[in-house]
Amino acid sequence: MPVADLSHSVSSVAERYAASLFELAKEEDKIDAVGADLDQIDKMLKDSDDFRRLVMSPAFSAEEQLNAMTAVLEKAKIGGYVANFVKVVAKNRRLFVLPGMIAAYRGAVAAYRGEVTAEVTVAHALSKEQQQELKTALKDVTGKDVALDITEDASLLGGMIVKVGSRQIDTSLRTKLSKLKLSLKEVG
């Protein structure tokens, strides 16, 4: 039996929630503060398997997720709009869409500021100078200011993968080695 494609409905849920949070942040002139708190949550999602499991698993009840999220937010010193937002999301059993909501919020901020967001996957953390050089290079290509959404993935070995809109540039060592391996097989 085929599984229904829920990606569109999940995406629209994420966009609706994020749009509400963005409008509130804009009205209260707290776009950057809200963004910083969401970035902190995003980092916790990327760094902690347990936290990711709490957010993504349907095995936890809404009450369990709400209680756990309240404790995590307090420990992380995240309050105000973002804490209230996350609690509403947990109460409404939509916590599994939180990563999409964070991405949608970033997209709303970028659109508001006339920026584009580049999803960048790197093997090792980039220094502030490297991030600035990448932003400058991407601005030259896109003609717009670029916000970076950086993820580390050691399996790339080196280099990076950059996605801006529908374009992707893959300069990772893993991909280069795979292409070399394939070309060697074709020769032999």
Side-chain angles (χ1 to χ4, degrees):
M1 184 165 131
V3 176
D5 179 12
L6 298 175
S7 60
H8 177 68
S9 62
V10 167
S11 174
S12 64
V13 167
E15 289 171 6
R16 282 195 316 269
Y17 274 82
S20 297
L21 181 60
F22 174 73
E23 287 304 318
L24 180 63
K26 187 171 76 169
E27 285 173 18
E28 299 294 325
D29 197 26
K30 296 198 182 291
I31 292 173
D32 291 334
V34 167
D37 285 346
L38 290 175
D39 288 347
Q40 189 175 351
I41 292 171
D42 190 43
K43 182 169 176 16
M44 290 188 296
L45 281 166
K46 289 175 181 171
D47 293 348
S48 171
D49 291 337
D50 290 335
F51 184 64
R52 194 169 37 258
R53 196 173 306 108
L54 167 69
V55 168
M56 303 305 286
S57 176
F60 299 106
S61 71
E63 185 178 338
E64 289 170 328
Q65 284 182 320
L66 177 60
N67 292 337
M69 289 304 293
T70 300
V72 168
L73 293 168
E74 285 174 11
K75 185 169 173 94
K77 294 182 175 43
I78 296 173
Y81 296 127
V82 173
N84 291 338
F85 174 78
V86 171
K87 290 173 187 177
V88 167
V89 170
K91 284 180 194 170
N92 292 341
R93 299 286 294 150
R94 298 285 187 266
L95 210 49
F96 67 97
V97 189
L98 188 58
M101 292 173 188
I102 293 169
Y105 181 86
R106 288 177 179 149
V109 171
Y112 176 71
R113 293 181 173 160
E115 300 173 338
V116 293
T117 300
E119 295 176 25
V120 181
T121 307
V122 294
H124 308 285
L126 297 177
S127 69
K128 293 288 182 199
E129 294 81 19
Q130 290 170 322
Q131 288 180 31
Q132 192 54 50
E133 286 178 34
L134 181 57
K135 282 182 177 184
T136 301
L138 291 172
K139 182 176 183 174
D140 291 345
V141 171
T142 64
K144 294 184 176 186
D145 287 331
V146 178
L148 301 179
D149 180 9
I150 300 175
T151 304
E152 290 182 45
D153 179 358
S155 74
L156 294 182
L157 303 175
M160 67 180 67
I161 301 171
V162 179
K163 292 180 194 173
V164 179
S166 61
R167 293 192 287 184
Q168 177 172 309
I169 303 162
D170 187 341
T171 64
S172 67
L173 187 54
R174 178 181 65 194
T175 299
K176 289 179 181 180
L177 290 173
S178 294
K179 287 179 182 177
L180 178 61
K181 185 177 175 183
L182 184 63
S183 67
L184 289 173
K185 283 183 181 178
E186 289 174 359
V187 171

